Amino acid sequence: MTTATAIEWKLFADLAEHAGTRTVTLEIDPETDTVGDALDALLEDQPDLAERVLDGGELRSQINVLRNGADVRSQEDGLETQLEDGDELALFPPVSGG
Amino acid sequence: MYVLGVTDSGAGDAPLERAADMIVDRLSRAGRVGVLRYDATIADGTADLRASGLTPGGDVTYALGADGDWSATGTERSIEDVLESLALECSYAVVVGHELPSYPSVVVGDRRDDDLSDSVITAVQNPGELDIEAVVSDLEATEPYETLDSLVAQIKRSPAAERAGAIATFTGRVRAKDDEDDPRTKYLEFEKYEGVADERMAALEAELEAREGVYGVLLYHRTGIVADGDDIVHVVVLAGHRTEAFRTVEDGINRLKDEVPLFKKEITVDDEFWVHESSE
């Protein structure tokens, strides 16, 4: 039996401006859904944001995706990373502190 | 050092003082507290001492007691100047009677809630309504006030300082122009990934402190609006010798800029843009 549960996307810098919001909550199925599925669901309703972060349907290499603070590319299984209930996902451009 | 304003919104002097006293008493149990009382009627800084029979004759006058107690008067000090000096030795500063839009504050009086700015932690009709514990935890969730000097003072108090023959620092600040012909930068605005940025800075500090001969590392980065000429970021390293001090300062600022989720928007006289967009 599967139950729908929720994850939250946090958007930063110009990505939040493209989306017109800083946070988006999505229902997911933790049995099957991956970070990539959550990204598709986020971008489905956000054409401006999709154009900003995708290049030929692929996520641009400069755009960072974090799951609960961990970089999904270098520390997890990339967009194939399995989601868990209550995950916090973050999407942001290259960092520019200092 | 955490800075808290306590301001009057129609309550009058006595309730304002009582609220400030309650807050200062509570903070004093957690650390050294500096109190700045703003009083626009102070017109001649040395008048107080003259009234008590002294003729100080200086622009800054300290009266010192045998056990280290003191009082002082003087001229030409701003609120910012006082905060800078309090930050060297205090964990908290309470500013009574003057609005500080860029710092958290407690408002005492009956002004309606919808008039209040975002930096107001709580607004109460009278001091009896104050939830002091909530004020303290909200205050400690705000960004602390630090300067290069306060961070150096802090690292010198470290127990490991007796083995350290070197302190190296880096300060990043807002430059108005890169080239002579550039439009002037008015300010930068930094957005932070709350939680994750702090975790990464703490992990970076711990990693650098684990190096041989490095005894302490402090990383500090401001968020929000930082004006032209103001400091943005400090890296302070306490080390046995200069070589590891210099190397660790350089690695610290480079890794902070590469790894910590902070985002910089630049506002010039002509334009505004996210800085990462100009380099992608």
Side-chain angles (χ1 to χ4, degrees), chain A residues 14 17 22 88 96 98, chain B residues 191 193 221 262 264-265 276:
Chain A
D14 64 310
E17 293 175 353
R22 294 176 181 281
E88 178 177 294
S96 55
Chain B
E191 183 183 347
Y193 185 174
H221 197 295
L262 288 155
K264 170 162 48 189
K265 192 181 235 185
H276 62 85

Side-chain angles (χ1 to χ4, degrees), chain B residues 87-167:
Chain B
L88 299 177
E89 53 165 338
C90 293
S91 304
Y92 305 94
V94 177
V95 179
V96 185
H98 195 281
E99 286 193 35
L100 300 170
S102 48
Y103 297 102
S105 65
V106 170
V107 176
V108 186
D110 54 10
R111 192 191 289 175
R112 286 174 45 230
D113 278 352
D114 54 4
D115 294 334
L116 298 170
S117 80
D118 292 345
S119 59
V120 173
I121 286 179
T122 184
V124 292
Q125 298 270 354
N126 60 68
E129 293 172 15
L130 271 178
D131 179 344
I132 300 283
E133 295 307 320
V135 168
V136 173
S137 64
D138 287 353
L139 174 62
E140 291 180 348
T142 64
E143 186 179 307
Y145 173 99
E146 300 292 351
T147 63
L148 177 60
D149 288 344
S150 75
L151 296 169
V152 169
Q154 181 184 333
I155 216 161
K156 281 183 175 176
R157 289 193 290 264
S158 151
E162 62 181 21
R163 296 177 62 196
I167 292 175

Side-chain angles (χ1 to χ4, degrees), chain A residues 57-75:
Chain A
E58 297 289 312
L59 187 64
R60 291 176 196 271
S61 60
Q62 307 98 319
I63 302 296
N64 297 286
V65 182
L66 266 52
R67 186 175 78 98
N68 303 325
D71 186 301
V72 300
R73 287 199 189 89
S74 63
Q75 294 170 274

Side-chain angles (χ1 to χ4, degrees), chain B residues 68-266:
Chain B
D69 285 354
W70 58 276
S71 63
T73 63
T75 58
E76 295 180 22
R77 287 216 108 179
S78 65
I79 289 178
E80 205 57 35
D81 293 337
V82 174
L83 292 178
E84 270 184 48
S85 68
L86 290 177
L88 299 177
E89 53 165 338
C90 293
S91 304
Y92 305 94
V94 177
V95 179
V96 185
H98 195 281
E99 286 193 35
L100 300 170
S102 48
Y103 297 102
S105 65
V106 170
V107 176
V108 186
D110 54 10
R111 192 191 289 175
R112 286 174 45 230
D113 278 352
D114 54 4
D115 294 334
L116 298 170
S117 80
D118 292 345
S119 59
V120 173
I121 286 179
T122 184
V124 292
Q125 298 270 354
N126 60 68
E129 293 172 15
L130 271 178
D131 179 344
I132 300 283
E133 295 307 320
V135 168
V136 173
S137 64
D138 287 353
L139 174 62
E140 291 180 348
T142 64
E143 186 179 307
Y145 173 99
E146 300 292 351
T147 63
L148 177 60
D149 288 344
S150 75
L151 296 169
V152 169
Q154 181 184 333
I155 216 161
K156 281 183 175 176
R157 289 193 290 264
S158 151
E162 62 181 21
R163 296 177 62 196
I167 292 175
T169 72
F170 173 82
T171 297
R173 60 194 292 278
V174 183
R175 79 181 147 254
K177 297 174 170 205
D178 210 355
D179 263 341
E180 186 65 35
D181 302 331
D182 283 350
R184 274 192 93 78
T185 297
K186 286 157 62 183
Y187 60 89
L188 301 179
E189 187 165 6
F190 288 91
E191 183 183 347
K192 174 167 90 166
Y193 185 174
E194 291 288 344
V196 174
D198 302 306
E199 274 169 28
R200 288 200 176 178
M201 293 223 314
L204 180 53
E205 281 179 350
E207 202 179 311
L208 296 172
E209 281 174 348
R211 290 181 175 187
E212 183 81 30
V214 173
Y215 298 121
V217 176
L218 294 173
L219 304 175
Y220 177 79
H221 197 295
R222 286 181 61 192
T223 55
I225 288 172
V226 186
D228 160 29
D230 284 358
D231 294 346
I232 302 161
V233 59
H234 299 294
V235 179
V236 177
V237 174
L238 180 75
H241 302 273
R242 67 183 183 285
T243 308
E244 54 265 33
F246 285 138
R247 201 164 284 155
T248 304
V249 159
E250 184 171 19
D251 292 347
I253 185 61
N254 288 343
R255 290 191 50 189
L256 185 155
K257 288 179 76 109
D258 283 347
E259 297 172 18
V260 178
L262 288 155
F263 309 97
K264 170 162 48 189
K265 192 181 235 185
E266 181 166 344

Side-chain angles (χ1 to χ4, degrees), chain B residues 3-8 12-25 28 33-43 45 48 70 72-74 77-83 85-86 92-100 108:
Chain B
V3 178
L4 179 68
V6 182
T7 58
D8 174 19
D13 286 347
L16 181 71
E17 290 300 323
R18 198 153 74 81
D21 280 352
M22 288 165 64
I23 291 166
V24 170
D25 274 357
S28 296
V33 184
V35 179
L36 191 171
R37 288 179 189 284
Y38 188 83
D39 178 354
T41 67
I42 297 175
D48 279 350
W70 58 276
T73 63
R77 287 216 108 179
S78 65
I79 289 178
E80 205 57 35
D81 293 337
V82 174
L83 292 178
S85 68
L86 290 177
Y92 305 94
V94 177
V95 179
V96 185
H98 195 281
E99 286 193 35
L100 300 170
V108 186

